Amino acid sequence: MIEFKDVSLVYPNGTQGLKNVNTNIKEGEFVVIVGLSGAGKSTFIRSINRLVTPTSGQLLVEDENILAYKGKSMRKLRTKVGMIFQNYNLVKRSTVMKNVISGRLGHTGTFKSIFNLYPKEDFALAYESLKRVNIEEKVYSRADQLSGGQQQRVSIARVLTQQPKIILADEPVASLDPPTSHQVMKYLKQINREDKITTIVNLHFIDMAMEYADRIIGMRAGEVVFDGPASEVTEQTFEEIYGRKIREDDIRGGKEEDEQHS
Amino acid sequence: MEMNMPPKPKRSSKKLVKRFIISISLVALYLWTFLSINDIIKWDRVFSERTITNFDRVIPKLFSPDYASFGKVMEKMVETLFIAYAGSLMAAILAVPFAFLAASNMVRNKFLNTLGKWILNAVRTFPEIMLALIFVAAIGPNAFAGVLAIGLHSIGMLGKLYSEVIESIDMHVVEAMEANGANKIQILFYGIIPQVIPEFLSYAIYRFEIDVRASTILGIIGAGGIGTLIVISVANRNWNEVGMILLVIIVVVTIIDYLSAFIRKRIV
C-alpha cells in the first residue's frame, strides 16, 4: 500500500532526514517506527502525506507516486491519510464538534464548509467517531476545557471522521502520562483492527512499541536499521537500533487504569 | 564568623572617564536650558495683574457650566461618537486584509510582506488632524470627512496589531488542517479565524475608545463633532458653555473607557 523506493530527503540546511529508505507497508498493518529523536521518524511519517517532500526516490501510495503531486492531487492524497500529532493540534477556542467535523473539510466544498452546511450523515459520523473514543458527552465543550488525554481522543475522532485509509501518528503519547498513553494506543489499535486502516505510529518507548505493533521499523540517522515483526524484537534489538544501552526513560511503563474521571 | 563577600566589580578607568563626561554634559545641558528660559519668558507679564483678572474671569465660569446648553452639546457629542464608531468600524474591517499581507506566517513572499508592513507604517505616520484637513478640503466641512480621517488613521494601528495577533497563532493547527486535505480558504475559516477573532474584536474596541477621544478634536478644523462647538464658544468667550462641553466630554469618555475595558475583559 505504501512503498518507499530509495527515498532520501535532505533539508535545505543540509540535514539528512531520510537516507535511501526502502520499505513496503501492507494494507491494514500496524507499524511502529522507533528511533531516537532526530533519527528521521517524523520525516518518514510526514513524507507519506507530503508535509515534507523527499528530494529523491519514489514514494508510492496505492501504486501512485505521490512525490509528483501538487495542489489538488495533494489535497486528495491528504484526505485519505489522517494524522495525529503530539500536541493534538485542536483549535482550542472551538467546540469539540467543530474540531471533529473539520475532519470532513477535505470531502466538503469550500462554500458548504464555511457555512457549516455539512450533510446530516457527516454530523452523525462525527458523533459516532466521538462515541468510539468514549468522549461523546463533551461534544459541545470547548477543546481547551479538556485534559490532554481527552484532547488526543478528540483528535483521534477527528481522524476517524475523515474516513482515511491510512492513519499517521507522530509521537501521539509523548505528552501524556503512562495510563493515558496506553489508553490512546489501545484506541489506535482497536481502530486499526476494526476498520482495517493502515496505521503508522512514531514512538520512542520500547515497551509500548513491543506491546502494540505488528511490525517495528527501527531508524537511526535517517536510515532504516531494523525492520521485522514485533514478535522477533527483544531489548537487544532496541539497543542495536538506538546504538546505546536501554535507559529508564526509553520505557513508558504503567498500565491502563479503569477510567474514573473521564 | 568570616563573611565571604562577593568580589568588587571591576571598573576600568575608561568607563569612569566616560561616565564622568556624560554626567558633566548632562548637567551643562540642564543649566543652559533653565538659564535661557529667563531671556524668553517675561516673568513680569506672566505674573501681572492682568493675568490674574483674566484667570478670575475664565476659570470660575469653566466650573459653573451652562446647563441650559446641555441639549445642544449632547447632540454634538453623539455626532462625535458616531464619527468615531463609523471610523473605527471601517478600519476594523479594512485593516484585516492588510494585516494578513503584513503577517510573516501568512504571506511567505518577503517582498509582499515588507510591502504590507510599509503600507501600515506609512498610514500611521499621518496624524488624524492632518488627514482631516485633507478630507475637509476634498469633500467639504462635514462629519464624513471626520469619519474618513479617523478610519484611515486607525487602519494603520489596527492592521499592525492584527498582524501581530496573526503571527502569534498556533501554526500547528494550520498544519493539522493541511494534513487532512483542507484548502486554503477552509484553513482560514476553521484554523485561523477562530484563533484570532477575540483579539481582533478586543483591539477594535480599544481603537474605538481612542477614536472617541481623537474625534472630539476634529471639529476644530470643521470635520464634524463637538470640536466645532468648542471653537465657536471660545470665539464668543462663552466660558460657561466651554465648561459644559468639557464636562460632557470627560463624562462620556470615562463611561466609554469603562465599558470598553469591561467588554474587552470578557472577550479574551
Side-chain angles (χ1 to χ4, degrees):
Chain A
M1 178 167 210
I2 303 167
E3 202 179 349
F4 282 72
K5 283 185 177 169
D6 209 25
V7 173
S8 295
L9 188 150
V10 182
Y11 284 105
N13 64 9
T15 317
Q16 181 110 37
L18 296 176
K19 203 167 164 187
N20 307 100
V21 173
N22 281 292
T23 188
N24 192 346
I25 292 166
K26 286 190 267 315
E27 194 166 352
E29 264 189 309
F30 194 100
V31 181
V32 170
I33 320 273
V34 294
L36 296 172
S37 60
K41 299 185 304 254
S42 271
T43 311
F44 182 94
I45 267 198
R46 279 157 195 259
S47 297
I48 299 169
N49 64 357
R50 286 283 309 278
L51 283 182
V52 297
T53 305
T55 41
S56 69
Q58 276 192 317
L59 210 175
L60 308 184
V61 174
E62 294 187 311
D63 300 320
E64 272 191 71
N65 184 13
I66 62 158
L67 299 189
Y69 282 4
K70 262 185 207 153
K72 207 165 185 184
S73 52
M74 186 142 84
R75 282 206 302 278
K76 207 165 166 220
L77 163 76
R78 286 173 177 174
T79 3
K80 55 186 185 189
V81 183
M83 188 154 185
I84 293 164
F85 301 83
Q86 177 180 343
N87 301 313
Y88 336 124
N89 293 2
L90 303 176
V91 181
K92 300 245 159 48
R93 275 175 177 144
S94 296
T95 60
V96 166
M97 189 56 174
K98 185 139 193 216
N99 271 295
V100 173
I101 202 86
S102 78
R104 297 306 297 169
L105 284 177
H107 299 270
T108 314
T110 309
F111 179 82
K112 282 191 172 165
S113 58
I114 290 173
F115 294 100
N116 214 20
L117 300 169
Y118 295 93
K120 267 195 187 130
E121 302 87 72
D122 285 4
F123 284 110
L125 175 67
Y127 190 59
E128 190 56 40
S129 310
L130 283 169
K131 270 188 178 162
R132 286 185 67 182
V133 290
N134 281 320
I135 196 145
E136 73 272 16
E137 78 272 17
K138 299 283 185 195
V139 58
Y140 294 120
S141 306
R142 259 170 60 147
D144 54 7
Q145 291 168 347
L146 307 184
S147 69
Q150 291 173 325
Q151 288 193 39
Q152 194 58 295
R153 272 145 66 194
V154 171
S155 89
I156 294 175
R158 175 170 67 182
V159 162
L160 277 176
T161 312
Q162 193 183 329
Q163 294 185 306
K165 296 199 169 128
I166 301 165
I167 291 179
L168 310 172
D170 195 358
E171 296 278 5
V173 299
S175 311
L176 302 173
D177 57 22
T180 328
S181 300
H182 282 284
Q183 198 186 57
V184 163
M185 288 306 291
K186 205 193 73 191
Y187 281 123
L188 284 177
K189 184 82 184 179
Q190 193 183 331
I191 288 158
N192 163 258
R193 283 287 122 84
E194 288 171 3
D195 300 14
K196 306 271 179 289
I197 300 175
T198 314
T199 307
I200 305 171
V201 184
N202 274 354
L203 281 179
H204 60 270
F205 299 115
I206 61 172
D207 54 334
M208 294 195 92
M210 290 203 282
E211 185 172 347
Y212 295 100
D214 296 332
R215 173 178 165 191
I216 289 178
I217 295 178
M219 295 190 73
R220 189 171 65 216
E223 284 180 285
V224 172
V225 292
F226 175 87
D227 188 349
S231 50
E232 286 177 12
V233 172
T234 59
E235 279 205 5
Q236 211 205 322
T237 324
F238 278 101
E239 290 185 345
E240 278 162 23
I241 296 170
Y242 287 8
R244 60 159 170 78
K245 284 241 171 286
I246 295 303
R247 293 196 302 235
E248 206 177 314
D249 56 351
D250 297 327
I251 295 167
R252 169 106 293 188
K255 269 273 120 215
E256 191 192 345
E257 288 164 5
D258 290 324
E259 280 183 56
Q260 293 136 345
H261 52 275
S262 52
Chain B
M1 197 176 87
E2 194 186 317
M3 276 192 293
N4 202 354
M5 295 300 287
K8 287 228 163 98
K10 275 184 200 149
R11 284 213 185 115
S12 65
S13 54
K14 219 173 167 187
K15 240 182 192 168
L16 277 177
V17 172
K18 207 165 129 193
R19 268 190 206 171
F20 183 73
I21 294 175
I22 290 176
S23 359
I24 289 287
S25 10
L26 273 178
V27 170
L29 187 68
Y30 276 107
L31 275 178
W32 176 62
T33 313
F34 283 108
L35 288 176
S36 48
I37 285 177
N38 274 333
D39 305 339
I40 300 163
I41 299 178
K42 301 196 171 52
W43 292 105
D44 50 332
R45 269 199 68 180
V46 173
F47 291 107
S48 71
E49 222 162 282
R50 225 178 98 202
T51 317
I52 291 161
T53 47
N54 275 347
F55 262 51
D56 248 13
R57 215 174 55 232
V58 176
I59 304 289
K61 284 190 179 168
L62 283 179
F63 284 101
S64 58
D66 172 18
Y67 292 103
S69 61
F70 178 77
K72 189 173 71 176
V73 173
M74 209 52 213
E75 194 184 321
K76 279 288 175 190
M77 190 65 218
V78 170
E79 190 185 83
T80 308
L81 288 184
F82 286 170
I83 292 172
Y85 181 77
S88 22
L89 183 69
M90 186 178 113
I93 294 163
L94 291 181
V96 175
F98 289 106
F100 275 92
L101 189 65
S104 56
N105 56 348
M106 293 291 128
V107 176
R108 299 284 180 198
N109 183 320
K110 250 216 163 121
F111 173 75
L112 286 177
N113 204 229
T114 321
L115 182 75
K117 287 198 164 116
W118 272 84
I119 293 175
L120 291 175
N121 279 340
V123 169
R124 257 178 309 157
T125 335
F126 297 100
E128 285 103 346
I129 204 91
M130 233 183 80
L131 289 172
L133 275 172
I134 295 168
F135 285 121
V136 166
I139 59 174
N142 53 39
F144 189 52
V147 171
L148 288 179
I150 292 277
L152 197 60
H153 182 78
S154 305
I155 288 176
M157 180 183 126
L158 281 181
K160 168 92 177 145
L161 291 173
Y162 283 3
S163 77
E164 275 165 9
V165 171
I166 296 170
E167 278 173 357
S168 70
I169 65 166
D170 181 3
M171 286 302 280
H172 293 298
V173 175
V174 173
E175 189 186 35
M177 304 244 155
E178 264 171 20
N180 70 28
N183 64 34
K184 291 252 185 307
I185 299 171
Q186 290 174 326
I187 292 173
L188 178 70
F189 277 87
Y190 276 78
I192 298 169
I193 291 185
Q195 291 193 63
V196 298
I197 275 289
E199 272 96 348
F200 274 25
L201 270 180
S202 164
Y203 280 134
I205 293 170
Y206 177 52
R207 184 66 219 188
F208 170 65
E209 189 186 317
I210 297 175
D211 285 343
V212 169
R213 277 174 257 150
S215 56
T216 54
I217 212 78
L218 289 181
I220 290 179
I221 52 161
I226 203 160
T228 324
L229 219 52
I230 299 180
V231 175
I232 296 170
S233 316
V234 169
N236 292 338
R237 318 227 157 195
N238 190 348
W239 302 112
N240 300 90
E241 201 172 287
V242 175
M244 187 65 214
I245 294 168
L246 292 181
L247 185 70
V248 167
I249 291 177
I250 290 167
V251 171
V252 171
V253 168
T254 312
I255 293 173
I256 300 248
D257 284 8
Y258 179 79
L259 280 179
S260 135
F262 177 76
I263 296 171
R264 293 202 304 132
K265 211 190 284 172
R266 309 208 65 170
I267 288 177
V268 183

